[in-house]
Structure formats: structure tokens, C-alpha cells
Amino acid sequence: MSASRLWAVVAAAGKSERMGEAVAKQYQRLAGRCVLDWSVQALLSVKGIAGIMIAHPPGDVQWQTALRDRSPLVNGCAGGATRAQSVRSALAALQAQGAESQDWVLVHDAARPAVRRADIEQLMASVGNHPDGGLLAVPVRDTLKRSDANACVEATVSRAHLWQALTPQYFPLGRLAQALAQSNAEQLTDEASAMEQIGARPRLVTGRADNTKLTTSADIAWLAFTLGNQAAAEDG
Ligand code: CTP
Ligand code: MG
């Protein structure tokens, strides 16, 4: 058996409905670069990446011009109507390119441009070779309330053992493809949930809280500020 390789999938085929802007969020320019470009560059900076597959909206060609320096390691494929379908298509495209079941894959939201290489490397180091994989996450820090249908408090929920799931999420490629092939993967908002459905218990690895997802227009200014600071720190 050959040594396992490391691949990455960038999920970038969403419709940005909650943003409600004319330009889809993966193509918004923040701190001088497209959101997609920031995300791809972070993954390219990880040592040993064999290739990156961007799942883009079907028929979209913008993803190519959104990347400032197009590395030969980066390719694209048409995503699907759901996130699970997009990731499934990207895994199939990587397999067509030579990726094998025993290889590992980082799955990242295009919409999380502020992820740091150190966090991705920490994720991989913490998971090691454990077949259940893992994901970046942050422990919930605010007091949690459960409401009734009228937005009145019904209960205060303990935040002990509760985390917010971020990306990248990191799994053996073959196991993730198998988990996503299961029928009820359609409603999933992350890959760890698909793994949970086949009995895996992915490891939660504490990441930086500023690896937030561009979700509404209100996130634009703060993410632009964070990315501007990151770029300034790298230049200095
Ligand atoms: N995504 C995808 N394919 C889909 C849906 C989502 O690749 N069919 C990607 C998005 O492009 C995004 C990431 O998954 O980078 C996280 O999803 P989300 O924040 O929900 O993005 P959108 O689905 O684009 O936004 P919305 O739900 O507001 O429409
Ligand atoms: Mg969505």
C-alpha cells in the first residue's frame, strides 16, 4: 500500500441567500482579495497538499479568475444543490485525479477566509491517524437559551460540552465518501455529521474563534478587518 496523501476540498457552490448581495459571498473582495482566494491560499500553505478541488456553482467560470495566483494544484468541479452533493462531487473529482481511499482530505468552507495555517496543522496533528477524523471547533462561550415559538425563554441550556463546528474538517477520504453516500446526508451542514451517522466520533480540536463564516452582510466589515490585520502581520 502506498503512503497516504493529503487533499483538500473547498465547498464554494452555495447561493449566498442569507447575504442577499449581488455578488456571491465566495467572490466578495475583502482586504484586496476574493474570499475564495483567501481560503484556497490558506490550504495551499499547508505542507504536503497534493491537490485542491473547488466545488463551484454549475456553469460558473468565475472561480478561475477569482484566484490571484492559479497553482497547478488547484482544480474545479461543478458542485450540487446541497452541500453534501457538492462535497461528494469534489471527492469523486479528486478520486478521478488519483486520490485513493486511504488518503486524507480537509474539507473547508470557501466562506471561511480567515482560517490560519497553524489551526489547520493543529487539527491534523491532533487527529493523527485516527479513522474517525476531526474538525476545528470552538467551545460555546455565551449563555444559551432555548425559546418557545414566540421567542420567549423556555429554558437556560448548559453550555458544558457544547461546541460550534468550524472548518476545515479532516477525514480519511474513503470513509468520508462512504458516509456521504448514505441517503440522509442531504440535510447536513457539515461533514462530521455524516461521519457521526456511520458511527464515528470525530475529534473536536479547538480553533481560533476568528475563523468565522461569512454568512450575512453584517460579517463583511469584521472579516475584512481581520484579513487586513492578517495580511499586515505577514508583510511585517
Ligand atoms: N456550499 C456548497 N454547495 C451548496 C451549498 C453550500 O458548496 N450546495 C458551500 C458554500 O459555498 C459555503 C459553504 O458551503 O462556502 C457553507 O455554506 P453556507 O454558509 O450555507 O453558504 P451558502 O449556502 O452559499 O449560503 P446560504 O445558506 O445563505 O444560501
Ligand atoms: Mg447554505
Side-chain angles (χ1 to χ4, degrees), residues 122-187:
Q122 179 64 46
L123 168 65
M124 295 192 297
S126 301
V127 169
N129 287 320
H130 197 291
D132 287 355
L135 60 147
L136 287 177
V138 287
V140 167
R141 48 172 78 180
D142 297 317
T143 301
L144 293 179
K145 304 291 186 188
R146 181 181 299 118
S147 72
D148 62 18
N150 302 313
C152 293
V153 174
E154 203 169 70
T156 299
V157 180
S158 166
R159 67 181 166 232
H161 305 298
L162 289 183
W163 300 68
Q164 284 176 253
L166 313 175
T167 73
Q169 305 199 350
Y170 179 60
F171 303 104
L173 193 147
R175 282 201 90 196
L176 179 60
Q178 179 205 338
L180 288 172
Q182 313 259 324
S183 55
N184 56 353
E186 293 316 321
Q187 302 309 317

Side-chain angles (χ1 to χ4, degrees), residues 22-235:
V23 176
K25 61 190 179 184
Q26 55 273 40
Y27 300 126
Q28 291 281 332
R29 281 186 89 78
L30 300 186
R33 281 160 61 180
C34 280
V35 166
L36 176 67
D37 196 25
W38 282 106
S39 294
V40 169
Q41 291 305 320
L43 290 162
L44 275 173
S45 75
V46 175
K47 203 165 156 265
I49 281 275
I52 298 179
M53 188 59 65
I54 298 171
H56 56 74
D60 168 297
V61 288
Q62 268 188 79
W63 67 275
Q64 307 192 47
T65 47
L67 304 177
R68 199 166 53 178
D69 309 306
R70 173 97 193 268
S71 157
L73 298 182
V74 181
N75 285 291
C77 70
T82 66
R83 184 199 164 90
Q85 280 171 8
S86 296
V87 175
R88 230 185 259 153
S89 302
L91 292 178
L94 285 175
Q95 283 166 321
Q97 219 178 272
E100 298 182 82
S101 293
Q102 82 272 11
D103 291 348
W104 282 72
V105 63
L106 289 159
V107 181
H108 185 57
D109 292 332
R112 287 186 198 274
V115 66
R116 310 283 186 115
R117 177 181 62 184
D119 269 20
I120 305 175
E121 290 178 346
Q122 179 64 46
L123 168 65
M124 295 192 297
S126 301
V127 169
N129 287 320
H130 197 291
D132 287 355
L135 60 147
L136 287 177
V138 287
V140 167
R141 48 172 78 180
D142 297 317
T143 301
L144 293 179
K145 304 291 186 188
R146 181 181 299 118
S147 72
D148 62 18
N150 302 313
C152 293
V153 174
E154 203 169 70
T156 299
V157 180
S158 166
R159 67 181 166 232
H161 305 298
L162 289 183
W163 300 68
Q164 284 176 253
L166 313 175
T167 73
Q169 305 199 350
Y170 179 60
F171 303 104
L173 193 147
R175 282 201 90 196
L176 179 60
Q178 179 205 338
L180 288 172
Q182 313 259 324
S183 55
N184 56 353
E186 293 316 321
Q187 302 309 317
L188 305 179
T189 53
D190 77 347
E191 289 61 54
S193 338
M195 295 294 290
E196 292 155 40
Q197 287 185 7
I198 61 163
R201 298 183 68 182
R203 173 171 291 277
L204 292 154
V205 179
T206 304
R208 289 176 61 110
D210 62 6
N211 177 15
T212 53
K213 184 159 66 68
L214 179 54
T215 303
T216 71
S217 311
D219 303 319
I220 292 177
W222 192 82
L223 265 169
F225 173 76
T226 302
L227 291 165
N229 283 346
Q230 263 188 42
E234 277 160 26
D235 289 347

